[in-house]
Amino acid sequence: MSVVKSPLSEADLKTVGDALRGALVDLVDLALVAKQVHWNVVGPRFRSVHLQLDEVVDTARAHSDTVAERSSAIGVSPDGRAGTVAKQSAIGSVPDGWIKDVDAVRVLVDALGAVISRMRERIAVTGDPDPVSEDILIGLTADLEKHAWMFQAESA
């Protein structure tokens, strides 16, 4: 049941809705992963990595809200529940316990890479059916790619 009348056809709504729901899952998990690593990072670069992780959390949370609201606006119920995120996220597991700063950077590079790859796939499929959603995905991917660049520079 949809309480919001979608401006998209049923086929386009399915394509765009799936893309937005997947984006939401990945963004929610990225925020959780970055925060988990943020709480557990240790090492000589603790402070810089710790602060950089919070920037990723802020980005992921802000974009997750935008994605969820876009989903609602086109008549697709957003789903950011823990069970959904655990089943559908592209991000691998995070090590338990303390995480050395070099390992924390690697975890974030891998997580961002997985999410960016899926975001680029979503951009490709949403352009024709819904340029508005495509634009949202492009903007958030640009922000994620900037974070990925900065974390990769940390490990150079």
Side-chain angles (χ1 to χ4, degrees):
M1 169 185 89
S2 179
V3 296
V4 177
K5 173 90 172 100
S6 180
L8 305 177
S9 71
E10 282 299 315
D12 289 349
L13 185 61
K14 168 97 173 87
T15 299
V16 176
D18 288 350
L20 292 172
R21 281 183 149 200
L24 179 61
V25 161
D26 286 345
L27 290 167
V28 168
D29 200 25
L30 181 60
L32 292 170
V33 164
K35 198 49 127 167
Q36 179 66 24
V37 175
H38 166 90
W39 292 324
N40 285 285
V41 66
V42 294
R45 296 181 310 173
F46 163 80
R47 182 162 172 73
S48 65
V49 173
H50 183 80
L51 294 173
Q52 195 173 357
L53 288 161
D54 263 345
E55 293 172 5
V56 173
V57 171
D58 292 345
T59 296
R61 286 179 178 166
H63 283 298
S64 66
D65 196 48
T66 300
V67 166
E69 289 176 355
R70 177 62 187 162
S71 185
S72 294
I74 64 167
V76 175
S77 173
D79 187 356
R81 296 173 297 164
T84 303
V85 172
K87 285 183 213 166
Q88 297 176 10
S89 175
I91 301 172
S93 63
V94 176
D96 192 20
W98 303 116
I99 304 170
K100 292 183 137 202
D101 51 8
V102 294
D103 296 328
V105 168
R106 182 191 42 75
V107 167
L108 258 290
V109 167
D110 291 348
L112 285 162
V115 172
I116 289 165
S117 176
R118 290 190 4 162
M119 290 301 177
R120 286 189 160 274
E121 292 170 7
R122 294 173 183 126
I123 290 167
V125 300
T126 56
D128 285 336
D130 186 20
V132 176
S133 293
E134 177 196 38
D135 186 55
I136 290 168
L137 295 171
I138 289 169
L140 74 88
T141 301
D143 287 348
L144 296 178
E145 287 177 348
K146 182 176 180 182
H147 286 300
W149 157 55
M150 291 184 175
F151 273 103
Q152 289 174 49
E154 283 272 343
S155 61

